[in-house]
């Protein structure tokens, strides 16, 4: 099965952008390669589904928000829900009124999505509060904090809006890359600094004034042409203390010290999905779905695992003593975090895992068919 990778070719004007496309396998492998056959497991289950829910299909790059004690999720049809992390109880439900292309960001009260007409839509406790047309396409989930909504466009503009009334507060335009990846980027926070992925760099931005505070490279683009040098940062990123770690598309995984605004370590590794991690490890898959784990402090390799090659893995979640990761058949695999060996697996609804999130001791896995499965590790 081919994986399409869209690349946005930015025009000199910010009035719009055109796209070109290629296929994953034409760059990185034989399209006839078959996914690895799953191991036969005989040990006890090391995790369980504590609750599940069903929504509409998810055909956009969903990011699951985790404010406070809840998961906030969205479906392609525009439905938005806040669910209790403890038991899956619906806390509120809303409707953006149109099909979605990006989402979801939430602080618990406000929730922000982008529809296919490229409108930013903000809901207040499930009710649409306002809409704003955005200048260029958005695929990254908006970020909501401090009664502000931040968006990151495909040409890496950052725009800030007042969450209450939709008033635009500032915009930050940087010199653009010749090509940018049409995949959800990095938009997060560290203390009072907005963290933005711009090309292969993480940038720290003043969220009040929209001024650049620092920037640090996660990757050094290499290659003989613009496609080969494409190294945009891909979400989700991982924050642990002062460190923000992220994946640069088909280039590197690395960490930046957000307090000092400086790179800490970077390791050359291909791959296109976001990463997972905890206070000791950073875990990511490569282009063939080989998993690697590095020590957070210094980037030393802890282990690698190749039992899931070509299984189209999701981003991983590190939960307790296990690493959880989903695949194209809706299987969630639970690995020993110290060795990378598979301990057990959990079946969901048979469709691909398209988004993951971690809140406390609960990991949420969303499937392409709209299933939500909350899992706790034993």
């Amino acid at each position: 099965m081919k994986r399409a990778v869209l690349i946005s070719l930015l025009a000199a004007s910010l009035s719009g952008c055109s796209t070109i496309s290629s296929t994953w396998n034409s760059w990185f492998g034989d399209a006839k390669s078959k996914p690895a056959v799953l191991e036969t497991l005989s040990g006890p289950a090391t995790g369980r589904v504590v609750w599940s829910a069903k929504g509409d299909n998810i055909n956009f790059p969903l990011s699951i928000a985790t404010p406070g004690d809840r998961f906030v999720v969205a479906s392609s049809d525009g439905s938005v829900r806040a669910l209790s992390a403890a038991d899956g109880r619906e806390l509120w439900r809303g409707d953006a009124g149109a099909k979605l292309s990006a989402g979801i960001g939430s602080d618990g009260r406000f929730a922000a999505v982008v529809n296919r007409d490229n409108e930013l839509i903000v809901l207040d406790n499930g009710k649409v509060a306002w809409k704003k047309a955005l200048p260029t396409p958005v695929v990254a989930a908006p970020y909501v904090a401090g009664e502000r909504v931040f968006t990151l466009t495909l040409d890496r503009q950052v725009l800030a809006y007042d969450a209450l009334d939709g008033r635009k507060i500032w915009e930050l335009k940087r010199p653009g890359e010749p090509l940018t990846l049409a995949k959800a980027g990095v938009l997060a926070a560290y203390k009072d600094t907005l963290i933005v992925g711009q090309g292969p760099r993480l940038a720290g931005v003043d969220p009040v004034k929209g001024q650049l505070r620092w920037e640090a490279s996660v990757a050094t683009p290499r290659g003989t042409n613009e496609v080969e040098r494409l190294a945009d940062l891909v979400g989700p990123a991982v924050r642990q203390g002062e460190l923000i770690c992220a994946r640069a598309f088909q280039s590197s995984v690395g960490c930046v010290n957000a307090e000092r605004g400086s790179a800490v370590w970077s390791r050359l590794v291909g791959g296109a999905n976001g990463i997972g991690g905890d206070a000791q490890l950073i875990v990511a898959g490569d282009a063939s779905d080989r998993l690697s784990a590095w020590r957070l402090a210094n980037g030393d390799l802890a282990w690698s695992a190749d039992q899931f090659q070509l299984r189209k893995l999701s981003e991983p979640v590190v939960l307790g003593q296990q690493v959880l990761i989903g695949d194209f058949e809706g299987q969630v695999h639970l690995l020993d975090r110290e060795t990378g060996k598979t301990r057990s697996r959990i079946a969901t609804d048979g469709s691909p895992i398209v988004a993951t999130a971690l809140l406390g001791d609960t990991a949420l896995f969303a499937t392409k068919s709209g299933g939500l499965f909350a899992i706790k590790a034993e």
Side-chain angles (χ1 to χ4, degrees):
M1 182 180 295
K2 295 183 177 181
R3 300 187 194 181
V5 179
L6 297 180
I7 303 169
S8 294
L9 179 59
L10 298 183
S13 167
L14 295 181
S15 61
C17 51
S18 59
T19 62
I20 61 175
S21 66
S22 184
T23 61
W24 176 286
N25 288 303
S26 66
W27 292 353
F28 307 119
D30 181 0
K32 296 182 180 179
S33 297
K34 294 182 179 180
V37 176
L38 294 178
E39 309 158 271
T40 299
L41 303 175
S42 57
T46 59
R48 59 190 174 92
V49 176
V50 292
W51 57 263
S52 62
K54 183 70 171 70
D56 189 57
N57 291 352
I58 300 172
N59 297 308
F60 69 100
L62 172 68
S63 297
I64 301 170
T66 57
D69 60 351
R70 62 198 61 187
F71 294 106
V72 185
V73 299
S75 301
S76 292
D77 65 354
S79 62
V80 180
R81 292 178 291 165
L83 305 174
S84 167
D87 55 15
R89 176 171 48 90
E90 190 172 286
L91 303 176
W92 55 256
R93 174 187 289 261
D95 192 337
K99 293 185 180 297
L100 302 183
S101 65
I104 186 170
S106 179
D107 63 358
R109 173 185 172 184
F110 296 104
V113 295
V114 178
N115 67 20
R116 293 185 185 176
D117 292 328
N118 210 44
E119 293 178 313
L120 173 63
I121 303 172
V122 171
L123 298 88
D124 185 347
N125 284 316
K127 296 182 179 180
V128 174
W130 52 267
K131 300 180 181 180
K132 288 283 183 179
L134 296 170
T136 49
V138 170
V139 294
Y143 187 77
V144 184
E147 294 191 344
R148 295 190 176 190
V149 179
F150 304 94
T151 63
L152 176 65
T153 65
L154 269 183
D155 58 4
R156 301 313 182 235
Q157 290 186 69
V158 187
L159 302 103
Y161 297 88
D162 189 302
L164 294 171
D165 58 17
R167 174 177 54 90
K168 187 168 77 171
I169 301 171
W170 54 258
E171 64 181 55
L172 175 65
K173 297 180 181 180
R174 305 288 309 285
E177 305 289 336
L179 295 176
T180 60
L181 188 70
K183 192 173 176 70
V186 174
L187 196 57
Y190 170 74
K191 294 184 178 179
D192 65 345
T193 298
L194 182 69
I195 305 297
V196 181
Q198 296 194 311
R201 302 172 298 278
L202 278 176
V205 178
D206 182 336
V208 177
K209 300 179 180 179
Q211 297 174 343
L212 183 69
R213 288 176 170 169
W214 55 260
E215 62 180 11
S217 293
V218 173
T220 301
R222 295 176 172 85
T224 59
N225 57 58
E226 292 170 349
V227 173
E228 291 178 352
R229 290 192 293 270
L230 183 62
D232 277 3
L233 299 187
V234 176
V238 170
R239 175 190 168 187
Q240 288 291 333
E242 297 180 350
L243 298 186
I244 308 288
C245 304
R247 135 114 350 101
F249 175 74
Q250 284 306 329
S251 179
S252 303
V253 171
C255 295
V256 166
N257 186 300
E259 191 70 34
R260 299 194 301 265
S262 59
V264 177
W265 59 263
S266 180
R267 297 293 177 264
L268 296 176
V269 60
N273 287 341
I275 64 175
D278 64 5
Q280 284 79 42
L281 290 180
I282 294 296
V283 183
D286 67 11
S288 64
D289 290 321
R290 182 191 306 272
L291 290 172
S292 296
W294 299 271
R295 302 295 178 191
L296 174 70
N298 54 22
D300 288 350
L301 183 67
W303 51 261
S304 61
D306 61 6
Q307 63 265 43
F308 305 118
Q309 289 195 71
L310 302 180
R311 293 196 64 83
K312 302 179 180 64
L313 297 179
S314 68
E315 61 267 17
V317 172
V318 182
L319 178 57
Q321 296 303 307
Q322 300 187 86
V323 176
L324 281 63
I325 195 162
D327 71 13
F328 76 108
E329 292 181 319
Q331 298 284 347
V332 176
H333 308 280
L334 294 88
L335 285 65
D336 188 299
R337 72 181 299 281
E338 298 300 324
T339 65
K341 302 297 184 183
T342 308
R343 297 179 63 184
S344 66
R345 71 176 62 98
I346 297 171
T348 58
D349 61 12
S351 66
I353 303 293
V354 296
T356 67
L358 179 64
L359 184 54
D361 63 353
T362 303
L364 187 65
F365 288 79
T367 72
K368 188 177 182 63
S369 294
L372 298 173
F373 296 83
I375 295 175
K376 289 191 176 183
E378 299 297 337

